[in-house]
Amino acid sequence: MPLAMSKAGDELMVARVGGNEEAKKHLEDLGFVAGAHITIISQLGDGNIIVNVKESRLAITSQMASKVMVVPQT
């Protein structure tokens, strides 16, 4: 499922990153790589998401979040 569809408190693992090469590179530089564990901190009213990835909090737009495919952590 796309990261944009998750809700606050979800603990997820990145399955893959889509989009064009520039978008992929940008997301990978932020730490969104296959196998990375992330936690949704909050989802803002405008669709933007604050996530915890690699011990850092990041805010990403819903458009960028839709390019990150995630699965629940086990």
Side-chain angles (χ1 to χ4, degrees):
M1 104 178 134
L3 179 60
M5 294 181 66
S6 26
K7 56 186 181 214
D10 286 352
E11 294 184 4
L12 309 162
M13 183 175 71
V14 176
R16 68 181 174 86
V17 178
N20 62 33
E21 289 303 314
E22 183 179 343
K24 280 185 189 178
K25 175 82 169 106
H26 178 66
L27 288 166
E28 288 171 355
D29 288 346
L30 292 174
F32 293 95
V33 294
H37 297 277
I38 59 174
T39 304
I40 308 299
I41 303 299
S42 67
Q43 218 171 7
L44 306 174
D46 57 2
N48 295 337
I49 300 173
I50 298 175
V51 299
N52 190 24
V53 60
K54 295 195 177 194
E55 300 180 21
S56 297
R57 285 187 179 195
L58 303 170
I60 61 171
T61 64
S62 57
Q63 182 180 22
M64 291 301 275
S66 67
K67 296 175 185 339
V68 179
M69 297 296 135
V70 294
V71 294
Q73 277 189 32
T74 55

